[in-house]
């Protein structure tokens, strides 16, 4: 594991009081639409409604096991016209590694299946049952499962929101040569993510996670670049997105990670999305006119029909 030099680290958070640090890492307190409690309730409600609707589809296959663990399940949503060469979009939900569920995270399914893309929404063992290392391992296994089951796919695209963006980032650093197959990862969308876990260790968020400083450093993609990263840098396009109404720390983490990825040769773009907070930045994926929604189908359709 290569640790980036101190000059590339962002650490002004260390000068913050505990109260200010916890405010920076409390996304619900920065919403421009609703108060902290209301925005979380609204997010869950919207997610439940859209997920219930798409789960009723004849083309959905729910509760598929990608591993032996009880929590290692995923839901797959197929487009009306299927083939062995579909692109697959895997979504990893957020919730600070201790909340969230695949059962209210299918925001992006309607526009993507309409564009001919299969979508898998992945569950993993959240804390306190799961720890960070286990969650990274589980998401990695979900990717490997899709590759093995659908080996003729036209590309696997990973998307993570918040803590899910962190998990996707760690999975991208996998040495795939140690596994049975190398997944056909073509793109990754990191939405309002956290890429340096050290601030989390010093906040209330760690009460359930119980991360040590060593755990945080080992699982911070901001500072961990492995030699095997070249396995995917040449084939994977990344988009890092953050909402206008995410906190300053979330903005800084996204910008810092964008710069780190560019330094290490990734094909990466950065987007700050206007007039969204930490929650509706992902909720709006159900809208065809939304900037990220438009990015997904265009990218996929070009691959399906032009490659």
């Amino acid at each position: 594991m290569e640790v980036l030099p101190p000059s590339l680290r962002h650490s002004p958070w260390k000068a913050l009081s505990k109260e200010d640090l916890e405010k920076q890492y409390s996304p619900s307190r920065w919403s421009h639409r609703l108060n902290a409690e209301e925005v979380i309730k609204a997010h869950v409600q919207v997610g439940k409604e859209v997920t219930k609707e798409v789960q009723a589809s004849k083309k959905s296959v729910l509760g598929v096991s990608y591993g032996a663990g009880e929590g290692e399940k995923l839901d797959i949503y197929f487009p009306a016209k299927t083939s062995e060469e579909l692109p697959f979009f895997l979504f990893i939900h957020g919730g600070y590694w201790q909340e969230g569920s695949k059962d209210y995270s299918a925001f992006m399914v309607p526009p993507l299946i309409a564009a001919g893309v299969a979508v898998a929404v992945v569950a993993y063992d959240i804390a306190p049952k799961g720890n960070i290392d286990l969650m990274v391992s589980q998401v990695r296994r979900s990717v490997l499962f899709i590759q093995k089951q659908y080996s003729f796919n036209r590309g696997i695209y990973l998307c993570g929101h918040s803590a899910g963006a962190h998990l996707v980032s760690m999975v991208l650093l996998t040495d795939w040569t140690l596994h049975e197959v190398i997944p056909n990862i073509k793109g990754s969308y990191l939405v309002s993510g956290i890429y340096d876990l050290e601030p989390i260790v010093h906040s209330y968020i760690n009460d359930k996670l119980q991360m040590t400083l060593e755990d945080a450093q080992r699982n911070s993609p901001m500072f961990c670049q492995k030699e095997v990263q070249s396995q995917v840098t040449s084939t994977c396009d990344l988009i890092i997105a953050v909402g206008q109404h995410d906190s300053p720390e979330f903005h800084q983490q996204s910008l810092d990670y964008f710069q780190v990825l560019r330094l290490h040769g990734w094909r990466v773009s950065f987007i700050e999305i206007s007039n969204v907070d930490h929650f509706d930045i992902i909720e709006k994926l159900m809208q065809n006119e939304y900037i990220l929604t438009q990015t997904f189908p265009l990218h996929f359709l070009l691959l399906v029909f032009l490659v």
Side-chain angles (χ1 to χ4, degrees), residues 10 21 60 69 98 104 116-117 125 143 196 219 253 273 282 302:
H10 163 70
L21 175 66
S60 65
Q98 55 199 282
Y104 54 86
V117 180
D125 284 318
V143 177
D196 173 9
N219 286 287
Q253 286 234 8
I273 302 177
I282 205 74
L302 286 173

Side-chain angles (χ1 to χ4, degrees), residues 195-236:
Y195 312 103
D196 173 9
L197 300 191
E198 187 174 349
I200 304 301
V201 175
H202 304 284
S203 75
Y204 71 92
I205 303 158
N206 201 36
D207 292 348
K208 283 187 179 180
L209 292 171
Q210 293 295 297
M211 279 193 301
T212 65
L213 182 58
E214 181 182 2
D215 294 333
Q217 292 173 341
R218 183 176 63 254
N219 286 287
S220 290
M222 184 86 75
F223 308 131
C224 304
Q225 297 293 326
K226 301 179 181 181
E227 293 179 1
V228 298
Q229 186 183 1
S230 60
Q231 292 174 341
V232 290
T233 51
S234 61
T235 59
C236 180

Side-chain angles (χ1 to χ4, degrees), residues 32-188:
H32 62 303
R33 303 175 293 134
L34 301 165
N35 67 36
E37 183 177 349
E38 290 172 341
V39 75
I40 294 174
K41 287 183 178 179
H43 178 69
V44 173
Q45 184 60 35
V46 171
K48 284 182 176 179
E49 290 173 359
V50 68
T51 303
K52 182 178 179 180
E53 181 177 344
V54 296
Q55 284 183 341
S57 166
K58 293 180 181 179
K59 290 290 187 177
S60 65
V61 183
L62 308 179
V64 179
S65 296
Y66 64 81
E70 182 180 349
E72 296 175 0
K73 309 285 187 184
L74 52 80
D75 296 337
I76 306 178
Y77 304 91
F78 291 98
K81 295 182 179 180
T82 61
S83 73
E84 292 184 347
E85 298 185 350
L86 287 172
F88 271 82
F89 183 93
L90 273 66
F91 181 70
I92 315 301
H93 70 77
Y96 264 150
W97 309 274
Q98 55 199 282
E99 297 177 1
S101 168
K102 69 176 178 60
D103 295 328
Y104 54 86
S105 297
F107 302 103
M108 72 301 301
V109 171
L112 286 182
I113 61 173
V117 180
V119 181
V121 183
V122 179
Y124 52 93
D125 284 318
I126 57 178
K129 183 177 181 179
N131 58 49
I132 294 293
D133 291 300
L134 174 62
M135 296 177 211
V136 172
S137 173
Q138 289 177 325
V139 174
R140 181 185 299 117
R141 273 180 272 144
S142 75
V143 177
L144 290 166
F145 173 83
I146 292 295
Q147 180 62 45
K148 292 175 184 177
Q149 293 297 310
Y150 305 96
S151 58
F152 294 101
N153 68 77
R154 296 300 295 270
I156 294 175
Y157 299 81
L158 308 179
C159 178
H161 172 232
S162 195
H166 160 263
L167 295 173
V168 168
S169 299
M170 288 300 297
V171 167
L172 289 175
L173 297 178
T174 299
D175 182 352
W176 298 110
T177 62
L178 301 177
H179 300 273
E180 296 178 26
V181 297
I182 297 177
N184 186 26
I185 299 173
K186 296 296 187 183
S188 182

